[in-house]
């Protein structure tokens, strides 16, 4: 017996059916706006692409959870390296 999909992904089949494009299309759109806040990204999908609020919110939530953590991790690693370099200059 297969597990029921939960969370934002549960909206994906209806998003694809209603708007006629795969969710990957929407992730490419969101990638162009990844520096914006969650709600600003939702607003882009709603105003420029006429998605409903629930569908837009589900896409943004999934996109941010899967993609923006990578940038946070890279930023953290960069900050650690800078601190190590600075500590070498000021023991």
């Amino acid at each position: 017996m297969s597990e029921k999909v939960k969370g934002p992904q549960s909206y994906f089949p209806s998003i694809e059916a209603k708007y006629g494009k795969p969710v990957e299309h929407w992730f490419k759109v969101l990638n162009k706006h990844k520096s914006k806040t969650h709600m600003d990204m939702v607003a882009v999908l709603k105003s420029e692409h006429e998605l409903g609020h629930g569908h837009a919110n589900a896409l943004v939530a999934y996109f941010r959870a899967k993609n923006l953590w990578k940038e946070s991790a890279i930023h953290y690693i960069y900050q650690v390296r800078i601190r190590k370099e600075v500590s070498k200059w000021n023991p």
Side-chain angles (χ1 to χ4, degrees), residues 8-17 19-31 45 51 55 58-60 62-63:
Q9 289 174 281
S10 65
Y11 287 87
F12 291 178
S14 61
I15 291 170
E16 290 179 341
Y19 304 104
K21 295 180 180 171
V23 292
E24 290 79 14
H25 166 79
W26 303 114
F27 298 146
K28 287 177 185 175
V29 170
L30 290 171
N31 197 51
L45 293 178
L51 270 71
H55 287 163
L59 288 166
V60 171
Y62 183 86
F63 175 84

Side-chain angles (χ1 to χ4, degrees), residues 3 7 10 20 37 40 53 59 62 70 76 80 86-88:
E3 250 182 76
S10 65
T37 66
D40 287 342
H53 182 82
L59 288 166
Y62 183 86
K70 294 174 192 171
Y76 173 77
V80 168
V86 169
S87 68
K88 289 178 187 176

Side-chain angles (χ1 to χ4, degrees), residues 52-72:
H53 182 82
H55 287 163
N57 192 55
L59 288 166
V60 171
Y62 183 86
F63 175 84
R64 291 175 65 88
K66 294 294 181 184
N67 295 292
L68 297 186
W69 72 268
K70 294 174 192 171
E71 291 181 17
S72 296

